[in-house]
Amino acid sequence: MFRRPRRPLPPRYVVTNTTAIDGVTRANQLMANGQPQQAAELFMQLAREMQEAGRPRQAANFHAQAAHAWLDAGVKEQALSQSSLALRLFASQGMWERAGHFKVNFIAHLRRTGGESASAAVEGEYNALANTAGINPQVAARAGIKRGSLPANCPHCGAPLRSDTVDWIDAVSAECGFCGGTVVTSKPESA
């Protein structure tokens, strides 16, 4: 019987930098308090710090959060710039499922805020990245998979958890995009 070789697991990072955890907490508080522009700037700063620390997976997640925050702040140019950075980093790390989830959620967010024309650009960039990597864009996201419900925050580091910012291990467990800890979800919703 033929078995496909396992892909090597990425290195696990233990978050010891309480400044970064405090930054995530502060950015989420800003979002909750209706200050998305300040949150977006903080998410961008965290993304730069993660990139400089050699943690592109976490940087991609912060760029994705910054994109949503900029959109909430009404600054579509910055939102599109951050979404582009997030998509490119997701693609460079082979994180196609997460890239697909981010694309779907971000396009829905764009449409709710009147950015219909910009949604075509995001879709086109995603498709171009997938085609360049030799991946079918429709298959890359695996959108039909039923997943369990995530807790609001990672039990290990306190970072916010969203389905498009975690790396799904299976239908009931995910890897936190910030600390790499495994988060067990509730049972998947039935079809």
Side-chain angles (χ1 to χ4, degrees):
M1 180 164 106
F2 175 76
R3 288 191 175 176
R4 184 185 312 191
R6 290 183 176 197
R7 74 175 191 178
L9 294 174
R12 301 282 185 195
Y13 297 100
V14 177
V15 178
T16 56
N17 183 348
T18 57
T19 305
I21 293 172
D22 291 343
V24 171
T25 303
R26 178 77 179 125
N28 287 310
Q29 287 172 343
L30 289 166
M31 287 297 292
N33 293 333
Q35 298 174 304
Q37 183 169 342
Q38 292 88 342
E41 290 167 355
L42 189 48
F43 282 131
M44 287 174 54
Q45 177 186 340
L46 290 166
R48 281 190 299 275
E49 290 173 7
M50 290 298 110
Q51 194 70 32
E52 290 169 4
R55 297 172 68 178
R57 295 166 59 95
Q58 290 80 9
N61 286 321
F62 285 129
H63 283 301
Q65 289 177 304
H68 282 286
W70 279 118
L71 208 49
D72 286 342
V75 186
K76 286 190 178 112
E77 299 79 25
Q78 277 284 37
L80 291 171
S81 172
Q82 290 298 302
S83 74
S84 180
L85 289 169
L87 284 172
R88 284 189 226 142
L89 279 172
F90 286 143
S92 73
Q93 296 300 303
M95 300 165 67
W96 290 106
E97 184 174 358
R98 196 170 325 175
H101 286 295
F102 169 70
K103 174 201 69 151
V104 168
N105 291 337
F106 188 69
I107 287 174
H109 195 173
L110 270 171
R111 289 181 177 150
R112 284 192 307 271
T113 58
E116 186 67 36
S117 61
S119 65
V122 173
E123 182 79 41
E125 181 171 12
Y126 171 81
N127 289 341
L129 288 167
N131 288 330
T132 300
I135 295 173
N136 180 339
Q138 283 73 34
V139 174
R142 290 193 261 162
I145 295 175
K146 296 291 181 191
R147 305 282 190 200
S149 297
L150 290 167
N153 298 84
C154 175
H156 307 289
C157 70
L161 295 174
R162 291 184 11 189
S163 64
D164 64 336
T165 62
V166 297
D167 194 9
W168 288 96
I169 298 167
D170 56 32
V172 294
S173 58
E175 177 186 309
C176 173
F178 185 72
C179 72
T182 299
V183 179
V184 179
T185 69
S186 64
K187 291 184 179 181
E189 298 173 9
S190 58

